[in-house]
Amino acid sequence: MKLTLDEYSKKFKMSKEMISSKLRMKKLNYIVEDDTVYILVPDDVSDIQTEAFQQTKAPAKPKTTVAMVLSLYQKENLQLKEKIVQLEKKIDKLIDDKEQMLRDEMSKIEKVYSTKDEQLKQVLELLNTKLLAQNANTVHDVEPLPQTQKAIDVEDENKIIELKSYLKTLDLEPYQRKIIKKRFLAVYDSDVRVIKQNGKLYLDFAKYDYSDLLEY
């Protein structure tokens, strides 16, 4: 059987360039008739070669369908969801760890303040105890005034008069009176000029000068 170049190419699924190369290399038998090249092929060989070529031909790739695309997207979505779940777990753990650290820190701060408060309370109680002890040591009374000695009018400064009544006669502000009264209270236990009777302070202008204590 003789075949033209085109016929041989179609029958054996071979390009014309490859056929021409085989002809030049004399791997194929051929004849030339009327300026046409014919390739000589035995009938039995041509059938066997055709069948072998068809068997060795690479299988066609399956076509991509919509179902395949959807299946691929679904698979990727599942993988992404798993990653998101893992990330959320890690974030929750980090938040829990941070909150626990903050709680521990708050607990430490509260303990420190509690200790400081207790120490301050003890100091205040100690100071209060000392002040009470000092006040107890300074409390005293003097002998009552004789029945014949009574307070007289404010105008007469030559007799004994109560400090409070005397301060009211002066042109003083309330805070100034308090200052003077505190001054008398601070010295009455050591100053003989200040007389105390029934919890009240008295002044004896006939005997003493109080100008240093009445300054304002």
Side-chain angles (χ1 to χ4, degrees):
M1 182 176 60
K2 59 182 182 180
L3 301 172
T4 62
L5 202 65
D6 292 336
E7 292 173 345
Y8 191 91
S9 174
K10 290 178 181 180
K11 185 173 182 62
F12 294 100
K13 308 296 181 182
M14 191 180 297
S15 64
K16 292 181 179 180
E17 290 77 6
M18 185 176 290
I19 296 171
S20 299
S21 175
K22 287 181 177 292
L23 290 175
R24 287 194 298 272
M25 296 173 66
K26 297 182 179 181
K27 290 184 178 181
L28 296 175
N29 296 323
Y30 66 94
I31 59 174
V32 178
E33 294 180 355
D34 299 329
D35 296 331
T36 301
V37 176
Y38 293 96
I39 302 171
L40 302 176
V41 180
D43 293 338
D44 55 349
V45 173
S46 63
D47 294 338
I48 293 172
Q49 288 180 345
T50 301
E51 184 178 355
F53 182 80
Q54 290 177 351
Q55 289 178 355
T56 56
K57 185 178 180 182
K61 294 182 179 180
K63 294 183 179 180
T64 303
T65 62
V66 175
M68 293 174 63
V69 174
L70 290 176
S71 176
L72 180 62
Y73 277 120
Q74 288 176 353
K75 185 177 180 181
E76 291 179 352
N77 285 336
L78 289 174
Q79 293 175 349
L80 289 174
K81 286 181 179 179
E82 290 178 356
K83 289 183 178 179
I84 290 172
V85 170
Q86 293 176 356
L87 288 174
E88 288 178 347
K89 289 181 178 178
K90 290 182 179 179
I91 292 172
D92 291 339
K93 188 176 184 304
L94 289 174
I95 292 173
D96 292 339
D97 292 343
K98 189 67 175 179
E99 289 179 350
Q100 186 62 41
M101 289 175 61
L102 290 174
R103 284 194 291 268
D104 294 341
E105 196 68 24
M106 285 295 296
S107 179
K108 291 180 182 178
I109 293 172
E110 288 175 356
K111 288 181 180 179
V112 171
Y113 275 103
S114 177
T115 304
K116 294 292 184 183
D117 288 343
E118 189 64 29
Q119 293 175 351
L120 180 60
K121 190 181 296 182
Q122 292 176 357
V123 171
L124 291 175
E125 289 178 354
L126 181 60
L127 291 174
N128 189 35
T129 303
K130 288 184 177 180
L131 289 174
L132 290 175
Q134 290 178 357
N135 289 336
N137 293 331
T138 56
V139 171
H140 68 283
D141 287 324
V142 297
E143 294 181 358
L145 291 173
Q147 292 293 331
T148 58
Q149 293 183 342
K150 297 182 180 179
I152 61 173
D153 294 336
V154 173
E155 291 82 1
D156 190 358
E157 293 186 354
N158 293 324
K159 293 184 180 180
I160 296 175
I161 185 171
E162 186 187 351
L163 175 63
K164 184 177 180 181
S165 300
Y166 178 73
L167 292 177
K168 287 183 178 179
T169 65
L170 302 178
D171 186 16
L172 298 175
E173 296 292 336
Y175 76 91
Q176 292 175 325
R177 295 175 187 169
K178 289 182 179 180
I179 292 173
I180 294 173
K181 188 174 180 180
K182 287 181 179 180
R183 194 180 298 157
F184 274 88
L185 288 171
V187 300
Y188 85 89
D189 58 337
S190 60
D191 196 330
V192 296
R193 296 176 298 171
V194 183
I195 304 169
K196 184 176 181 183
Q197 182 184 12
N198 299 328
K200 297 180 180 180
L201 299 179
Y202 291 88
L203 309 179
D204 188 353
F205 287 101
K207 291 183 179 181
Y208 306 110
D209 178 19
Y210 299 96
S211 58
D212 58 324
L213 297 175
L214 293 172
E215 289 180 349
Y216 55 87

